[in-house]
Amino acid sequence: LSLCLCGKKNAMQAFSAAAFLTVLTSSQGILTALSQTGGGYRYDYATIPFFAELLKLAVSAFLLWKEKNSSTGSRITIEWKTARLYPIPSIIYLIHNNVQFVTLTYVDTSTYQIMGNLKIVTTGILFRTFLKRKLSRIQWMAIILLTIGATTSQIKGCGEKNCNSLFSAPIQGYLLGILSAFLSALAGVYTEFLMKKDNDSLYWQNFQLYMFGVLFNFLRLWIESGWEKIQHLLDGYDLMTWLVIANLGCTGLLVSWIMKSIQPPCQCF
């Protein structure tokens, strides 16, 4: 989390949100690895993003209903030129969520977490490129050092049992990890652009975003295996699987709140 000068209340909100988000993202890879059996998944991992999007949609719909019936009400804009922008991040997140599960079949949890830090690098670059955010010299130095640190941490010493490869994990795992970091950053930057584009209710914006997320994930399952897959969505599920879904759902909701509520100088990359 980048340190900055901002209002005391906003700073406390930013710190609390960042601390909770750190716990969620840190446990994401661990929970996913624990849900595996024999290095694979007993369940269809393509169903996880579907149920996570469904959870986020249900929570957003409830909060939107509650907000509309409050004294303040909700600001809702229904325009095609705005609504047509929401499928884009939904498609990116669809690809990203599935890439995450495949990545964890090639690398261990610690390597996954280290590569996850590369999303800070890609986010910083995309912020500068597309949103024209200026980064300080210290921030650029941090990006460079983070990249170097993530790379060198994966170089394997020849004292280890297998010296045939320079790196400690298969190259496929690293390529998928880099792809995951790029997709996460791209979706995050685009979503923040949508959130800050107007003053609509956060819950209405989330409702639109997750509605398309549910739709695209459902279509992906249906196209892949037809109605037979839809009838057996919960095959192989256990408590750990539901914890993975809850983790993904809470992470998405918290990130959207950060993008909408915390002022840019107080945000992390």
Side-chain angles (χ1 to χ4, degrees), residues 33-77:
L34 289 174
S35 71
Q36 294 179 349
T37 302
Y41 301 102
R42 290 194 304 118
Y43 56 90
D44 183 356
Y45 62 77
T47 62
I48 301 296
F50 170 71
F51 283 114
E53 293 296 307
L54 197 60
L55 172 62
K56 291 185 284 187
L57 178 63
V59 172
S60 298
F62 171 75
L63 294 175
L64 178 61
W65 171 80
K66 191 174 180 180
E67 186 180 62
K68 284 190 67 176
N69 288 280
S70 67
S71 57
T72 57
S74 300
R75 187 182 189 278
I76 296 177
T77 302

Side-chain angles (χ1 to χ4, degrees), residues 83-103:
R84 67 184 180 182
L85 300 175
Y86 283 87
I88 299 174
S90 299
I91 294 173
I92 299 174
Y93 278 123
L94 167 64
I95 300 171
H96 170 254
N97 289 332
N98 286 278
V99 167
Q100 282 183 304
F101 285 90
V102 179
T103 302

Side-chain angles (χ1 to χ4, degrees), residues 25-167:
T25 53
S26 299
S27 59
Q28 192 174 98
I30 298 173
L31 291 173
T32 305
L34 289 174
S35 71
Q36 294 179 349
T37 302
Y41 301 102
R42 290 194 304 118
Y43 56 90
D44 183 356
Y45 62 77
T47 62
I48 301 296
F50 170 71
F51 283 114
E53 293 296 307
L54 197 60
L55 172 62
K56 291 185 284 187
L57 178 63
V59 172
S60 298
F62 171 75
L63 294 175
L64 178 61
W65 171 80
K66 191 174 180 180
E67 186 180 62
K68 284 190 67 176
N69 288 280
S70 67
S71 57
T72 57
S74 300
R75 187 182 189 278
I76 296 177
T77 302
I78 303 177
E79 294 180 348
W80 167 244
K81 66 178 183 180
T82 300
R84 67 184 180 182
L85 300 175
Y86 283 87
I88 299 174
S90 299
I91 294 173
I92 299 174
Y93 278 123
L94 167 64
I95 300 171
H96 170 254
N97 289 332
N98 286 278
V99 167
Q100 282 183 304
F101 285 90
V102 179
T103 302
L104 279 164
T105 62
Y106 288 99
V107 302
D108 56 29
T109 307
S110 59
T111 301
Y112 175 80
Q113 294 295 344
I114 291 173
M115 289 194 301
N117 290 324
L118 293 177
K119 71 179 65 173
I120 299 177
V121 177
T122 51
T123 301
I125 295 173
L126 290 175
F127 262 122
R128 181 68 184 91
T129 304
F130 294 106
L131 298 186
K132 306 302 180 183
R133 297 276 180 85
K134 290 185 178 181
L135 303 179
S136 67
R137 290 184 179 180
I138 294 179
Q139 289 173 323
W140 279 116
M141 288 176 60
I143 287 176
I144 295 171
L145 290 174
L146 182 60
T147 305
I148 295 173
T151 303
T152 56
S153 68
Q154 296 306 301
I155 296 178
K156 184 170 59 175
C158 280
E160 300 184 32
K161 57 182 180 180
N162 185 0
C163 206
N164 295 327
S165 174
L166 178 64
F167 298 104

